[in-house]
Amino acid sequence: MGMRRQAYKIQANGISFLQILRIVSALLLYLVVRAPDLRPPPHVSNVLFFDGVCNLCDGFVNFVASWDKAERVRFGAIQRHKEYLKGVGAGAFAEGGSKALTTVVLLQGEDIYIKSAAALRVIALIGQPWTTVAGLLYMLPRGLRDYGYETVARHRYAVFGASETCREPDPKFQARFLEHVPEEEAMPWGK
């Protein structure tokens, strides 16, 4: 018997490798089909607030910006938008708040998401395969997801480092930030 046929004859507790492969494939397909779609309707605004001096947060923003071809996500450093966050009910996460700089904050329309829910909802916006990955991870219990998020957040400066100031985005990327003022508006008298 050839090597190829022998591979399918491998038994594990009376179940062949091929049967195990079919069961795992069916389970994965079931999970993918059942994974929630975390994306809001196309007209809903998505603003991600992040710790502007955190290198991990900067890396996440760069990752999102490079994969988000539809440019559905806008960005703002938490340090620069304290009053805005207070105005929408997320002031506790702004500088000086009781939970200052402990999480990313996502505003989707009028809804506020924090911790793992915010990160996964942003990842879901950037397209496949990330939409499915985010949906599958979202199926984990929130307490478990947030525990993982909080553990990484607690050690992010030690592991990834921090910058002294918020990094300025390059001109191509700048329009995605809340504080961006188009050149025409900044200089109404002309160029």
Side-chain angles (χ1 to χ4, degrees), residues 9 11-12 41 57 62 75 90 100 102 126 149 153 156-157 174 184:
K9 296 274 186 188
Q11 298 285 315
C57 301
N62 289 329
F75 307 102
T102 58
I126 63 178
Y149 183 94
R156 71 187 186 272
Y157 293 134
Q174 197 169 15
E184 306 82 51

Side-chain angles (χ1 to χ4, degrees), residues 33-100:
V33 169
R34 296 281 301 156
D37 187 356
L38 304 176
R39 298 170 297 175
H43 67 279
V44 173
S45 67
N46 303 282
V47 182
L48 177 66
F49 292 94
F50 64 100
D51 180 351
V53 299
C54 167
N55 291 336
L56 175 62
C57 301
D58 277 348
F60 182 62
V61 168
N62 289 329
F63 170 77
V64 171
S66 67
W67 278 89
D68 181 18
K69 303 301 182 208
E71 298 185 356
R72 291 190 65 188
V73 182
R74 295 192 67 204
F75 307 102
I78 289 175
Q79 292 87 338
R80 294 183 181 175
H81 299 286
K82 179 179 180 178
E83 295 305 316
Y84 186 82
L85 287 166
K86 281 183 178 179
V88 297
F93 306 105
E95 274 192 316
S98 61
K99 298 176 184 175

Side-chain angles (χ1 to χ4, degrees), residues 1-17:
M1 193 178 290
M3 193 64 148
R4 190 175 201 182
R5 288 183 183 235
Q6 278 184 329
Y8 291 114
K9 296 274 186 188
I10 296 173
Q11 298 285 315
N13 294 332
I15 300 174
S16 74
F17 175 75

